[in-house]
Amino acid sequence: MKIGILGYGNLGRGIESAVRQNDDIELTAVFTRRDPSSVKTATGIPVYSTVDAMKLKDNIDVLILCGGSATDLPVQTPEYAKYFNVIDSFDTHAKIPEHFAAVDAAAKAGGKVGIISVGWDPGMFSLNRLYANAILPDGKDYTFWGKGVSQGHSDAVRRIEGVKDAKQYTIPVPEALDAVRGGTDPELTTRQKHTRECFVVAEDGADKERIEREIKTMPNYFSDYDTTVHFITEEELKANHSGIPHGGFVIRSGKTGLDGEHRHIIEYSLKLDSNPEFTSSVLIAYARAAYRLSKEGQTGCKTVFDIPPAYLCKEDGAYLRAHML
Amino acid sequence: MKIGILGYGNLGRGIESAVRQNDDIELTAVFTRRDPSSVKTATGIPVYSTVDAMKLKDNIDVLILCGGSATDLPVQTPEYAKYFNVIDSFDTHAKIPEHFAAVDAAAKAGGKVGIISVGWDPGMFSLNRLYANAILPDGKDYTFWGKGVSQGHSDAVRRIEGVKDAKQYTIPVPEALDAVRGGTDPELTTRQKHTRECFVVAEDGADKERIEREIKTMPNYFSDYDTTVHFITEEELKANHSGIPHGGFVIRSGKTGLDGEHRHIIEYSLKLDSNPEFTSSVLIAYARAAYRLSKEGQTGCKTVFDIPPAYLCKEDGAYLRAHML
C-alpha cells in the first residue's frame, strides 16, 4: 500500500517516521506548496509540488492531508477527495458536520473514500466516548486534557506585545479527576477541571507585570482558568520546553441495575511524548482502513465511528481472533 | 427491536435490567431449561421452556445466550444461530477460533448473524488491545485484572474439604501498574502482576492451617501468586463480600520517532460494581449491532473487531458526528 503526504510540517514528519514501523505501507511522495527543492525530507522521500500531485495519482493509494484545520483542510480534503482516497485530522469539532458533507459529496463523485477527523481528539477520545455511551446509557461524560502543550494557547501568548516566545501547558486538576473516578458525578466548572501554566520569554525591557496581567485576563483563552506565568530565558525555554507532549482522560461514570444501584467507571487515557507523532500513528492505521474500504468498492466520507476495528490492522481476522480477542 | 434471553442467572438478570435503560429495545421472552413455572423474572417478563423457543422465533430479533462458556455456549450458540440472530459472551480465550468456526457455519446456513465473545474480556479489553496495537506497532501490552471477584478461583477454594463458602479477589500490584505507566516496559512475572486474597468460611472444627496450605499451594490457581487467606464468619461473608465487583487495566506502552525517541502510554481501565451487569450492558449494545447487520442482509459470525462502533448506538451517524466526534 502506497501513501502520499500533503504538507510537510510536524504531522507530515510524524507520518514519515510512523510509516517505517509498518512494513505493509510505503511512503512514495511528499507534496508541498513551497518550492520542492527547498524541502528536504528526513528519510529521503522525494518531494513534489502540489501542482504535480495529479501526475502521481496512480502511484498513491491513500493521500494523507497534513494541513491545518483552520484554513487548509476545509479546502484541501474535499478537493483531493475527488481524485484520491484521503484522510485528515480535521479537529474543529463544531465544523465537523459541514466538513463531512463536503468530503462526502466529493469522494462520492470521485468514487473515492475519505476519512476525516482522525487522531486522538477527535479520534480515539471520540471512539471511547461513543463506546462508553453505548454501554452505559445512564451516565455522565468527562474529558480532561493534558498535561500537554496547547499550540493555540501558546500562539495566543506569543501575540502579546513584549513576548518573544512562549509555551502553554494545559493541566488537569488532580482533585477533579479523583472526584470523577470516585463516582460522585460532580458538576465541574471550567476552572475546577484544568489549570494553565505559561513559560514566557519576554523581550528585553518589556513590562512583565503587564504581560502577566494580559495573559491572565485574556477572554476565552485564560480568563476562566487559574493561570500561572513563569518568565524564563530563551535558553531555558529551548532546553526544557521544546517538546510537544500531550494527552488526557475520557471518563464515563454510569449506573446499572433495576434501581441504578451499581456504579461503573470506564476510563481511557493517553500520555504522549509527542502529540504530532501519536496523531500520525493513528492516521497511518486509518489510512490502511481507507485503502481496504476503497478496494471493497466503498465510497464517500467516513469517520472513526464507521470503521470496523479490524480494518486498522495488517493481520487478518483469524489472527486477530486467536491473538487479541 | 425485540430480544430474548436464554438462561436466567446473573447475566440474564443483568440483561433484564439493562434493557430498561434502552428505550429502543424490548425484552419479550426469557427461556429456561428449568420448569418455566419455577422461574419468576424481576420485571414480570414471561418465561418459556427452551423447547418452545422455536415457536417464538418470529417475535425475537436477537437472542442473547446467557449460559456458561464451559459447556453451555459451545453447544447453544451454534445451535440457536441456525434460527435466530444470536449473541454470547463466550470467554474461553483459547477456544475462540473453534467457537467462531462453529457459529459462523451455523449462522451462514441459517442466514443469521452471530456475535461471539462480547463483554469486557473478551470484549472491551480486546478492542483496546487491538486499537492500541494498530496505533503503536512498536510497543508492549499489559493486562491487569481486578480488584475483583474471580468466580473460578472462588469455586476452587469452595471445593477444598472443610470450606463452607469462600470469595476470592484478584488484585493488581500497584507497583507493577506504576512501572508500566512509567514507560520502562518491565518484564513482569505472574507473581509480580497480581496478588490473591481469599475470604473463607470454614466448617465447624475444620483444620484451618491445612485449608490455608491447600489454597496457597494449589497449582494453576494459587501457587504462582502471593495469596492472603482470611477466615471469617458466614455473616461477615454475606455482609461484606456478597457483591460481584471486577475491573482491570489494559495498557500499551510504545515508541515512535525515527529513533524511537518518543514514548506513549495508552491506558483503558474499568472499575465495575457488578461484573454481570456491566457485561450485560455490553451485550445489549452489540445486540443492537447484530440486529442492524442482519437487517442489512449480512450473515455469519462476527466479533467486536468486525463491528463499526456506530452500530452500537441508537442515534444516527449525523447525530453521533455532531455530538460525540
Side-chain angles (χ1 to χ4, degrees):
Chain A
M1 164 185 166
K2 293 171 182 167
I3 64 163
I5 294 173
L6 199 149
Y8 192 66
N10 282 333
L11 202 57
R13 279 190 290 271
I15 300 286
E16 186 182 12
S17 63
V19 164
R20 293 155 63 96
Q21 297 182 317
N22 292 276
D23 57 19
D24 59 328
I25 299 177
E26 187 191 340
L27 176 57
T28 26
V30 169
F31 299 100
T32 179
R33 285 174 297 187
R34 291 176 273 172
D35 171 6
S37 68
S38 73
V39 177
K40 202 175 159 355
T41 56
T43 62
I45 307 299
V47 182
Y48 304 90
S49 167
T50 48
V51 299
D52 292 326
M54 289 302 297
K55 294 181 197 157
L56 282 94
K57 206 168 102 54
D58 297 332
N59 271 326
I60 291 169
D61 295 312
V62 181
L63 182 64
I64 304 184
L65 301 170
C66 299
S69 295
T71 56
D72 298 333
L73 299 176
V75 177
Q76 289 174 349
T77 315
E79 179 59 29
Y80 287 95
K82 294 177 199 159
Y83 313 106
F84 295 88
N85 296 314
V86 295
I87 177 164
D88 76 20
S89 59
F90 183 79
D91 67 359
T92 312
H93 290 264
K95 294 189 175 170
I96 285 173
E98 63 185 273
H99 189 55
F100 181 91
V103 176
D104 194 48
K108 278 180 178 153
K112 298 292 179 182
V113 169
I115 309 184
I116 62 161
S117 300
V118 174
W120 58 276
D121 195 3
M124 298 313 296
F125 273 20
S126 323
L127 271 179
N128 276 279
R129 282 188 282 266
L130 183 146
Y131 278 119
N133 274 269
I135 296 169
L136 296 175
D138 181 9
K140 205 162 151 52
D141 289 314
Y142 296 88
T143 303
F144 293 86
W145 293 274
K147 181 182 177 174
V149 172
S150 163
Q151 220 59 56
H153 286 78
S154 300
D155 290 345
V157 174
R158 281 189 209 107
R159 284 192 295 265
I160 292 174
E161 201 192 315
V163 172
K164 196 169 179 186
D165 204 352
K167 272 280 171 87
Q168 193 270 181
Y169 295 90
T170 306
I171 305 166
V173 175
E175 293 75 18
L177 267 171
D178 287 346
V180 171
R181 288 176 182 143
T184 57
D185 284 0
E187 291 291 338
L188 296 168
T189 63
T190 299
R191 193 176 300 273
Q192 287 171 320
K193 286 182 70 186
H194 297 93
T195 53
R196 299 194 176 278
E197 190 170 21
C198 304
F199 293 86
V200 179
V201 180
E203 306 271 10
D204 282 348
D207 179 350
K208 293 183 180 171
E209 267 184 49
R210 175 191 51 81
I211 291 172
E212 179 162 348
R213 198 172 52 241
E214 282 194 35
I215 294 173
K216 291 185 171 175
T217 58
M218 194 185 297
N220 302 319
Y221 285 87
F222 292 99
S223 62
D224 292 337
Y225 299 85
D226 290 333
T227 302
T228 313
V229 178
H230 309 276
F231 288 95
I232 60 173
T233 65
E234 204 161 4
E235 292 68 38
E236 284 173 306
L237 192 80
K238 203 172 171 184
N240 305 324
H241 304 284
S242 60
I244 318 176
H246 219 313
F249 305 80
V250 173
I251 305 176
R252 187 164 175 87
S253 165
K255 296 180 222 168
T256 64
L258 285 175
D259 297 306
E261 63 271 31
H262 293 125
R263 168 74 61 175
H264 310 279
I265 306 285
I266 304 175
E267 176 170 344
Y268 179 80
S269 70
L270 296 173
K271 200 172 83 183
L272 314 175
D273 272 0
S274 166
N275 184 352
E277 285 182 8
F278 187 82
T279 300
S280 301
S281 298
V282 182
L283 281 162
I284 287 286
Y286 277 94
R288 190 180 279 127
Y291 178 54
R292 290 192 180 160
L293 291 170
S294 177
K295 282 212 297 189
E296 287 178 6
Q298 297 207 38
T299 64
C301 190
K302 316 279 176 190
T303 75
V304 295
F305 295 161
D306 306 308
I307 313 291
Y311 279 54
L312 308 185
C313 301
K314 68 175 180 185
E315 298 86 2
D316 68 7
Y319 178 92
L320 296 174
R321 285 189 294 275
H323 294 87
M324 289 203 192
L325 197 58
Chain B
M1 164 186 167
K2 293 171 181 169
I3 64 164
I5 294 172
L6 199 150
Y8 193 66
N10 282 333
L11 202 57
R13 278 190 291 273
I15 300 285
E16 186 182 13
S17 63
V19 164
R20 293 155 63 97
Q21 297 183 317
N22 293 276
D23 57 19
D24 60 327
I25 298 177
E26 188 190 340
L27 177 57
T28 22
V30 169
F31 298 100
T32 180
R33 284 175 295 189
R34 293 176 273 172
D35 172 6
S37 68
S38 73
V39 177
K40 203 173 158 357
T41 56
T43 63
I45 307 299
V47 182
Y48 304 89
S49 167
T50 48
V51 299
D52 293 325
M54 289 301 296
K55 294 180 196 158
L56 281 94
K57 205 167 106 50
D58 298 331
N59 271 326
I60 291 168
D61 295 311
V62 181
L63 183 64
I64 304 183
L65 301 171
C66 299
S69 295
T71 55
D72 297 334
L73 298 176
V75 177
Q76 288 174 349
T77 314
E79 178 60 28
Y80 287 94
K82 294 178 200 159
Y83 313 105
F84 295 87
N85 296 313
V86 295
I87 177 164
D88 76 20
S89 59
F90 184 79
D91 67 359
T92 311
H93 290 263
K95 293 189 174 168
I96 285 174
E98 64 186 90
H99 189 54
F100 182 90
V103 175
D104 194 47
K108 278 182 177 150
K112 298 293 179 183
V113 168
I115 309 183
I116 62 161
S117 301
V118 173
W120 59 274
D121 196 4
M124 298 313 296
F125 273 19
S126 324
L127 271 179
N128 276 280
R129 281 188 283 265
L130 183 145
Y131 278 119
N133 273 269
I135 296 169
L136 296 175
D138 181 9
K140 204 162 151 53
D141 289 314
Y142 296 88
T143 303
F144 293 86
W145 293 273
K147 182 182 177 175
V149 172
S150 163
Q151 221 59 57
H153 287 76
S154 299
D155 289 345
V157 174
R158 282 190 208 105
R159 283 193 294 266
I160 292 174
E161 200 191 317
V163 172
K164 196 169 178 186
D165 204 352
K167 271 278 170 89
Q168 193 270 180
Y169 295 90
T170 305
I171 305 167
V173 174
E175 294 75 18
L177 267 170
D178 287 345
V180 170
R181 289 176 182 144
T184 57
D185 285 1
E187 291 290 339
L188 298 167
T189 62
T190 299
R191 192 176 300 273
Q192 286 171 322
K193 286 182 71 186
H194 296 93
T195 53
R196 299 194 176 279
E197 190 170 21
C198 304
F199 293 87
V200 179
V201 180
E203 307 270 10
D204 282 349
D207 178 351
K208 292 182 180 172
E209 267 185 50
R210 176 191 50 81
I211 291 173
E212 180 163 346
R213 196 171 54 241
E214 281 194 34
I215 293 173
K216 290 184 171 177
T217 57
M218 194 186 297
N220 302 319
Y221 285 87
F222 291 98
S223 61
D224 293 337
Y225 299 85
D226 289 333
T227 302
T228 314
V229 178
H230 308 276
F231 289 96
I232 60 174
T233 66
E234 202 160 6
E235 292 68 37
E236 284 174 305
L237 191 80
K238 202 172 172 184
N240 304 325
H241 304 283
S242 60
I244 318 176
H246 220 312
F249 305 80
V250 173
I251 305 176
R252 186 161 176 89
S253 166
K255 295 181 224 169
T256 64
L258 285 175
D259 297 306
E261 63 271 30
H262 293 125
R263 168 75 62 176
H264 309 280
I265 306 284
I266 304 174
E267 176 169 344
Y268 179 80
S269 70
L270 296 173
K271 200 172 85 182
L272 313 176
D273 272 0
S274 166
N275 184 352
E277 284 183 9
F278 187 81
T279 300
S280 301
S281 297
V282 182
L283 281 163
I284 286 286
Y286 278 93
R288 190 180 280 126
Y291 178 56
R292 290 193 180 161
L293 291 170
S294 177
K295 282 213 296 188
E296 287 178 6
Q298 296 206 40
T299 63
C301 190
K302 315 279 176 190
T303 75
V304 294
F305 295 161
D306 306 308
I307 313 290
Y311 279 53
L312 308 184
C313 300
K314 67 175 180 184
E315 297 86 1
D316 69 8
Y319 178 92
L320 296 175
R321 285 189 294 277
H323 294 88
M324 289 202 192
L325 196 61

